[in-house]
Amino acid sequence: MTWLTNHLVSLILFTPLLAALILLLIPERRAGALRWVALAGSLVPLGLALFAWSRFDSTSAAWQLTEQVPWYISLNASYHVGVDGISLTLVLLTVTLMPLAILTSFTITERVRTYMVLFMILETAMLGVFVALDLLLFFVFWEVGLVPMYFLIAQWGGKNRNYASLKFILFTMGGSLGLLLATQMMGMLTGSFDLVELGSRWLALTQASLFGLPLATVRAIAFWAFVIAFAVKVPVWPFHTWLPDAHTEAPTAGSMILAGVLLKLGAYGFIRLVLPLFPVEAKAFAPWLAALAVAAVVLGALGAWGQSDFKRLVAYSSINHMGFVVLAVAAAGAAVGTPDAHIALNGAVLQMVAHGLSSAGMFFLVGAIYERTHTRDLNELGGLYARLPAYGSVLTFIAMASLGLPGLAGFAAEFQIVRGVWPVFMLATLIALVGLFFTGAYILKALKLTLHGPLAERWQSLSDLSVREIIIVSPLMALSLWIGIWPAGIMNLFNLTVAALF
Amino acid sequence: MNLTGIPLLSIIIFLPLAAGLIILALPAERKGWIKSLAAAAGAIDLALALLLYFGYDRASAGYQFIERIPWVPQLGISYHVGVDGFSLPMVLLGALVVLCGALVSWNVDDRPREFFSFLMFLGTSILGVFASLDLFQLFFFFEIAVFPKYLMIVLWGYPRTRNYGGMKLTIYLFVGSMMALFGVLVIYFRAGMHSFDLLMLEQAGFAPELQRWLFPFMFLGFAILGGIFPFHSWAPDGHVAAPTAVSMLLAGVEMKVGAFAALRAGIMLLPEGAHYWQTAILILATVNVVYGALIALVQTDFKYVIGFSSVSHMGLVLIGMATLTGTGLVGAGMQMFSHGIMTALFFAIVGMVYDRAHTRELSALGGLAKKMPLAAFGFIIGGLVSMGMPGFSGFTAEFPVFVGAWQVAPWSAIIGVLGVIVTAGYILLVTRRVFFGDLPPALEKVAGITRKDGFVILLLCALMVLLGIFPNVLAELVRSGVSHILALTGGS
């Protein structure tokens, strides 16, 4: 039992990888076995993460369940992992969405083994980002996650998958170049990659000689290098153009994880690295960041409104919703140490969870209708409520969660963000609220064009949601409702960490 | 295990030579024997090299497994071998690639006796350079490789370009050798020790002016074989013209021989010269990285892509060395090993594809993952190593190179990292064009790869993943060797 608790984070982290190895031993033709092993491989981390939650002391803001062993001695980098309230929340989100994505993938029939192996590797990589306490380790997991997602899009994607997958990996890798360079530079200047040590030494630096630039300039450059890497991932306008393409072409489960978890990696990077390592720059450049975030909110909503492809519409909605997270980060940077920053960031973390649930649900439902009709063109759909009542009700529920209806998770999150940001950036908040109006517009547009109006002749024989599909979507609805009604249930987990940090 | 008294290094160096001579004596029609003997020699060499790896005492570091016999005492030349943490991985790499080269050459049916014996001779010359502690002997082994290399390219190479490629390679390397030979002689006479012993020459304390003008001869003379810009153009032509096993050895190990000798005989004997020329080398090496990657991006021949990628990756080795910092040198050592196995794997797979598809034109290839899934897997893993993806050896090798570069020349780190994104571009494009998409009708009947091919792929991939996840298994060894280099060059 002690062994279990001492290695709990590593177990959560590497169980999916172990499952990937087991999957490799199962012959390709045994598709059933492959699917169930993958599902089991994603359920075990869920169980372990829930156990970790029960062991987690949320009255302490310290790193917990930490493990540290030397990793790359020549670079003074170690395998240092652990969780605090924020990272445990995101770990929980990841391990919750993963089994649902696997269950969604039960309809995949082509090269099932490789597909499932890639998903398992992806899970380990994403979890690694959330638990890494070493900057080099963080970067390792950050980059590794790109590979399985690239292949999932390139091999199991739609018609335009080659273009979309290459754009995805080149954008995100290109965005990470600055992060890579800044990581190297900071490691060189501080002599350590351990986040705690690196952080304190980096902040204590009094001089640095790089091209004869003053330290403030070096810090500002490193700040933007970090910001761009994370902004591409979130994505913040104008770095978002890879996202609609990647989402549209990715297989359904890939989109669920992409929107549900991968985008959160970027936001997590802002909270875990940018704000603590660059407090001065985060304050100085906060208005710029806020402007980009507001642009993402408004343009994301307008972009979604203009789509006639259902999946593209949902993809743009992610830009819209994640913009709020970045807006909160900008405000927290500007007003660090105030209750406003605390509230805004609490909202940001909650928004990550809320958006993770609702976007995964939306992509799942888009995929479900595509599997039945083989079209995502909103103009060809319509009137499905009458034929598919269960689907219609579920879609309405998830769409309302996405829209931010009070009583559901999105509202609790966005309300806190708006409350926190308001005193800091009032104009930005007002513009973002206008964006929120368009959020309502595109959600209702999507609902109207799919569910209402006349039902086309050729959709008369569609079948309603299966039991498997209801099992996938129920946890998303339940959690969304639970958080919406009683946000404290999850906020107690990270509130203290946020308060201690900001 | 007590290894004292066994001349382990000499056995490793000369076992391939002996095997090559026996092969020559075998009847030409005994093709099975010839191939098995060559593979067995490679396998035994690898096993012995592993014995070196595990037998090397890391705590005391320094040169170990030393053997010394006077050779031409009148001139102060001895047969003097030994390995430290920096050269031991290179011996391991040499033995590994010789074995893999023999295994993927199983389908060579044109004069196999000569082919495999020359392959073995090449192995001995490579291993001899890495273990040399005598400058004359180092040069001797360095030069002797020309004969099997040239013959193998012109006899078994790609018919259309083998004469051009073989001749170009030989002439380039001869020019380099002449420069190096001049440098070696100047060092011998100016040291006035009447000895070619590297360990003594290291302590000779040459005058700074001498070091400054002599350094380009010694460094460039050897670094031409390492593919340094602008003397790199032999490499892609030579690699492409060569038969598969020779491409693997050329790009995988011979280029490291060049870089290694440039370090051993250039930087370590003339440290003051290295400091003086540091920026110049960094500029050339950075050009290597970016230029090589850009040229690889526009190639239409599968093998040329890999040929130019080697030029790009060797640039990182040279950057690491030129930083003269501990971290950079550890990175250089790691990158030599990592790139060695990666490029050997690439050329092996290119050979497998060419042997079956009879074309290397990217436009004529496609969909081969269906026909040879393991080759596609190997190429993807190699590609991830190539683009420096974390989790694979390329990352654990490149990262310290860049950290070292940040210490002395941040610009080279910044420009070098940009080469990485270009690498990602050409690797992904080539992977897709060759292995994914639609299978052209002409390739419908392509056969799968053999078991030996599969073994080579899995072995090399396993090593690349191992070093990516547990870099310490090699990096700590390299670091113990680097401390000796730093003691000479005066870095940290």
Side-chain angles (χ1 to χ4, degrees), chain B residues 142 172-173 176-177 179-180 215-235 254-263 265-267 281 284-285 288 314-315 318 321:
Chain B
F142 187 86
Y172 264 78
L173 301 189
S177 301
M179 292 166 69
F215 183 80
F217 290 94
M218 283 297 265
F219 185 83
L220 276 185
F222 289 118
I224 288 177
L225 182 59
I228 192 168
F229 180 87
F231 309 106
H232 63 280
S233 78
W234 65 268
E254 276 282 89
M255 292 182 92
K256 278 83 207 170
V257 168
F260 177 82
L263 173 75
I267 293 173
I281 304 173
L284 293 183
N288 260 69
M314 285 306 293
L318 295 168
M321 287 182 175

Side-chain angles (χ1 to χ4, degrees), chain A residues 71-75 136 139-140 143-144 147 150-151 155 162 166 169 174 177 180-181 184 188 193 210-211, chain B residues 327 380 389-390 395-396 399-400 402 406-407 410-411 413-414 417 421 428 432 436 469 471-472 475-476 479:
Chain A
W71 177 53
Y72 201 156
I73 300 171
S74 298
L75 291 172
L136 193 59
F139 186 80
V140 166
E143 289 282 281
V144 163
V147 180
Y150 168 80
F151 282 107
Q155 298 297 315
N162 281 344
L166 197 64
I169 198 162
L177 282 186
L180 174 63
L181 284 166
Q184 290 163 358
M188 186 271 294
F193 287 99
L210 288 169
F211 309 117
Chain B
T327 321
I380 290 167
M389 185 56 69
F395 180 75
T396 48
F399 200 91
F402 287 126
W406 271 104
Q407 279 169 272
W411 55 266
I414 295 170
V417 165
I421 194 86
L428 293 172
R432 183 194 298 159
F436 299 108
I469 298 176
N472 289 334
E476 283 306 284
R479 195 159 68 117

Side-chain angles (χ1 to χ4, degrees), chain B residues 360-376:
Chain B
R360 293 191 311 248
E361 277 303 310
L362 289 173
S363 55
L365 295 167
L368 285 173
K370 297 187 191 85
K371 295 288 175 183
M372 33 178 96
L374 198 56

Side-chain angles (χ1 to χ4, degrees), chain A residues 66-80:
Chain A
T66 55
E67 294 164 51
Q68 186 167 22
V69 282
W71 177 53
Y72 201 156
I73 300 171
S74 298
L75 291 172
N76 199 14
S78 59
Y79 170 77
H80 190 186

